[in-house]
Amino acid sequence: MEDKDNKLNQPVDTEKDKGQEGKDASKKAPEFTPEQQEWLNNLINRKTAEHKQELEDQKASEDERINKAIAEHDRRAKMTADEKAEDDRKKLKQENDRLKAELDRNARIAHAQTVANKYHVPMSMVKNLVGASDEETDNNMLSFANEFSKAIQTGVDQRLAGNKQPQTGTQVNTDKAKKLSDLSLEEQTRLFHEDPSLYHQMAAKG
């Protein structure tokens, strides 16, 4: 009985209680203005909707994959052994054709990049100028280079005309020992129009 009374008469640890109150206070949600709360709610709703759409798209894609697999299984289940072998042969040919087309495309792009360097065509335009053959690619590159050069020259002429400065003609260095790639795009274009024979001789050197 005496021990119980002693426990009741012990002082209360107010510092501990204050610390606990501080912890509880720190757990309270921050207060927002109505505008901040509305913005936060809209953000949460938008992110929730986006996440939901992603899940739905994933499920639809997975369902489509499963349905295709089931349909393919059912299709082949009706085939004889010979029909399955023929079906496998066709699939293998299609895959080989796809890989060959991809390799051919990569080879034509590599060739186009080489030609683009020669004609000083921006690399960003290479894929747009790749033709069905290397010859077609060469023609595409040259046509673009000529048009690109004309556009540049037109802009230069307009700026010079605006400055009202006298213009002097420039001569292309036609040293036959040079390669076409040693000339600028503007020089290549001028040489192509002024001396096509020399242009093709220099182009043949690479």
Side-chain angles (χ1 to χ4, degrees):
M1 183 68 178
E2 185 175 342
D3 290 340
K4 186 176 180 180
D5 292 340
N6 288 336
K7 290 180 179 180
L8 292 173
N9 293 328
Q10 286 179 357
V12 179
D13 192 348
T14 56
E15 292 299 324
K16 182 178 180 180
D17 293 342
K18 289 180 180 179
Q20 185 63 38
E21 289 178 1
K23 291 180 180 179
D24 293 340
S26 65
K27 295 179 181 179
K28 292 181 180 179
E31 295 183 0
F32 297 104
T33 65
E35 292 80 9
Q36 291 173 330
Q37 188 64 52
E38 182 180 4
W39 181 88
L40 183 60
N41 290 341
N42 291 336
L43 176 63
I44 293 174
N45 291 336
R46 185 170 68 253
K47 292 298 181 182
T48 300
E50 290 175 357
H51 181 62
K52 181 180 179 182
Q53 186 61 49
E54 288 177 1
L55 292 177
E56 291 178 353
D57 291 343
Q58 290 176 2
K59 184 178 183 302
S61 178
E62 182 66 15
D63 289 344
E64 182 179 1
R65 187 186 67 80
I66 292 173
N67 291 335
K68 284 184 177 180
I70 293 174
E72 177 65 9
H73 177 270
D74 292 343
R75 186 182 70 86
R76 287 179 64 87
K78 300 175 183 179
M79 292 181 178
T80 63
D82 290 341
E83 288 173 339
K84 288 180 180 179
E86 178 64 16
D87 189 54
D88 291 338
R89 187 191 66 79
K90 288 181 179 179
K91 287 182 179 179
L92 182 60
K93 183 179 183 303
Q94 289 174 353
E95 181 62 14
N96 287 337
D97 290 344
R98 185 189 67 80
L99 291 175
K100 183 178 181 300
E102 185 175 340
L103 290 174
D104 289 345
R105 170 74 175 173
N106 291 338
R108 281 184 279 116
I109 289 176
H111 173 77
Q113 290 172 338
T114 301
V115 179
N117 282 326
K118 182 170 69 174
Y119 292 144
H120 304 288
V121 172
M123 283 296 164
S124 59
M125 293 299 300
V126 167
K127 289 187 177 181
N128 296 324
L129 299 172
V130 174
S133 65
D134 288 347
E135 182 180 3
E136 183 178 340
T137 297
D138 293 347
N139 293 333
N140 291 343
M141 287 288 177
L142 181 57
S143 296
F144 176 83
N146 290 336
E147 293 302 321
F148 188 61
S149 180
K150 288 178 184 178
I152 292 176
Q153 188 60 47
T154 298
V156 171
D157 291 343
Q158 289 176 348
R159 285 196 296 272
L160 292 176
N163 292 333
K164 296 182 180 179
Q165 297 177 351
Q167 300 183 34
T168 58
T170 58
Q171 177 128 14
V172 179
N173 187 342
T174 55
D175 183 356
K176 295 183 180 181
K178 278 190 172 186
K179 296 179 181 180
L180 192 64
S181 57
D182 294 332
L183 303 179
S184 69
L185 179 59
E186 183 179 349
E187 289 173 332
Q188 290 181 38
T189 304
R190 188 178 296 112
L191 178 61
F192 177 80
H193 289 292
E194 295 175 356
D195 193 345
S197 179
L198 178 58
Y199 176 93
H200 290 296
Q201 288 179 22
M202 295 178 69
K205 296 177 182 179

